[in-house]
Amino acid sequence: MSKTKEYLIPFVGLKTGKHHFEYQINNAFFEIFDYDEYQNSNITVNVVFDKQSNMLELNFKHKGTVNVPCDLTGEDFDLPIKGKMKLIVRFGETFNNDNEELLILPFGEFEIDIAQYIYEMIVLSVPQRRVHPGVKDGSLKSEALEKLNELTIKETKKDKEEKKEDIDPRWDKLKQLLTDK
């Protein structure tokens, strides 16, 4: 993947200690992975790269917004997202990325591509159910919500009275036992 060249960190030339990297993520980044679920995205990713003598430690943090459709109304809105992830890189005989928190690179490697980890961290931080904030507080006006409110079944006073009358009289006797103590 030559498209992810800017997400390569050549760690051989870096001094031992912490190094900071910042990436601005937009829809062009998601097009690399053929992921087109977001209409627009603006995310800042900060990576703290801690190089040690026998291993590498990467701490990812991201914060921003993705424009997604609401699951209830279909209206597009900016969903704020944030998250963090930790990755430890060790060196071994063969490449192994089976564990999500541990990456094993062959001894001869001199750089690490973090694009896949950034992609997974962002996509997994977006919730499964996306509800427009206007739906929660009642301020959103849309055709879909108006139609849903129009079609909801409204409970009448007669229905409430019937529910109260359906109570078995034996329960009243049991309730008296609690109050007679």
Side-chain angles (χ1 to χ4, degrees):
M1 256 191 191
S2 62
K3 295 179 181 178
T4 62
K5 190 172 185 172
E6 66 182 278
Y7 303 101
L8 285 174
I9 299 177
F11 54 83
V12 170
L14 295 176
K15 295 180 182 177
T16 304
K18 292 187 178 187
H19 306 277
H20 299 274
F21 298 93
E22 185 173 304
Y23 300 97
Q24 197 64 36
I25 305 296
N26 54 27
N27 277 14
F29 175 78
F30 293 109
E31 288 172 5
I32 296 170
F33 297 97
D34 293 326
Y35 191 77
D36 58 357
E37 197 161 314
Y38 309 139
Q39 280 78 14
N40 194 9
S41 58
N42 184 17
I43 305 161
T44 303
V45 177
N46 291 308
V47 180
V48 177
F49 184 88
D50 188 9
K51 182 178 180 183
Q52 299 170 7
S53 60
N54 58 351
M55 68 180 215
L56 311 170
E57 192 174 312
L58 290 98
N59 289 305
F60 298 87
K61 281 188 183 179
H62 74 280
K63 188 174 185 177
T65 59
V66 291
N67 190 286
V68 293
C70 174
D71 290 336
L72 298 177
T73 63
E75 300 283 327
D76 291 343
F77 72 102
D78 287 335
L79 177 71
I81 59 168
K82 65 179 182 177
K84 57 184 175 179
M85 183 180 84
K86 185 174 185 175
L87 176 68
I88 295 175
V89 181
R90 307 278 316 206
F91 297 98
E93 294 296 321
T94 59
F95 178 84
N96 185 349
N97 64 352
D98 292 342
N99 190 334
E100 60 191 41
E101 295 178 1
L102 177 67
L103 171 65
I104 299 175
L105 291 177
F107 286 115
E109 285 292 319
F110 60 92
E111 61 187 8
I112 181 171
D113 187 1
I114 61 171
Q116 182 70 32
Y117 297 102
I118 292 173
Y119 167 75
E120 289 175 5
M121 176 182 64
I122 292 171
V123 170
L124 291 174
S125 70
V126 175
Q128 286 275 27
R129 187 163 185 230
R130 306 165 194 149
V131 179
H132 194 290
V135 173
K136 293 177 185 174
D137 62 18
S139 65
L140 179 68
K141 302 291 185 216
S142 73
E143 288 182 30
L145 280 178
E146 289 173 11
K147 193 66 173 174
L148 282 173
N149 287 334
E150 182 182 306
L151 297 174
T152 56
I153 300 171
K154 295 182 175 53
E155 192 172 344
T156 62
K157 290 182 182 178
K158 186 178 179 182
D159 294 337
K160 289 180 184 177
E161 290 173 4
E162 287 178 9
K163 285 183 183 178
K164 288 181 181 176
E165 292 175 5
D166 291 343
I167 297 175
D168 193 346
R170 293 178 285 184
W171 288 110
D172 292 332
K173 291 289 183 188
L174 288 172
K175 287 180 184 175
Q176 285 180 350
L177 289 174
L178 290 174
T179 57
D180 288 344
K181 288 185 181 178

